[in-house]
Amino acid sequence: MSWTQQQVHPLAEQTRLICRYHRLSTRFELIAEHALAASAGPGSKLPEPHLVNPPMGVWSELILRQALYYWPRTIPFNIAQRDYRLHI
């Protein structure tokens, strides 16, 4: 599926959020991408978000997938037992 819009936001030192939206299907996905502690040396960085197969040592977690019919919205979610609210 070709995403209409994709944004990447840093969340923590080795974690970032990837927000993707597809206008035709109104599907929205929120993905947390983490670098493993073993590979999180001082020089390690998370890969570019457009890569199809991320390199070893990086794992993705699907936080939210839903259709957005009405905007604006506030969507609550949590990552690593911390609560967040996403305003769309």
Side-chain angles (χ1 to χ4, degrees):
M1 171 182 297
S2 174
W3 297 96
T4 301
Q5 187 175 11
Q6 178 171 311
Q7 297 178 354
V8 179
H9 305 280
L11 183 64
E13 185 176 330
Q14 296 298 326
T15 304
R16 67 180 173 198
L17 290 178
I18 300 173
C19 305
R20 301 190 296 196
Y21 176 71
H22 188 259
R23 187 179 305 250
L24 185 61
S25 66
T26 70
R27 191 165 101 186
F28 176 80
E29 289 184 353
L30 182 64
I31 300 166
E33 195 168 78
H34 310 276
L36 297 178
S39 66
S44 69
K45 292 185 177 179
L46 289 165
E48 294 299 316
H50 57 79
L51 294 177
V52 175
N53 295 319
M56 296 290 290
V58 175
W59 61 279
S60 297
E61 172 186 7
L62 181 65
I63 303 297
L64 176 73
R65 176 185 287 155
Q66 74 182 83
L68 298 178
Y69 298 112
Y70 303 105
W71 292 32
R73 283 183 81 163
T74 301
I75 299 171
F77 65 95
N78 84 36
I79 297 175
Q81 300 175 350
R82 291 186 63 189
D83 292 330
Y84 298 94
R85 290 187 305 170
L86 177 67
H87 299 279
I88 300 174

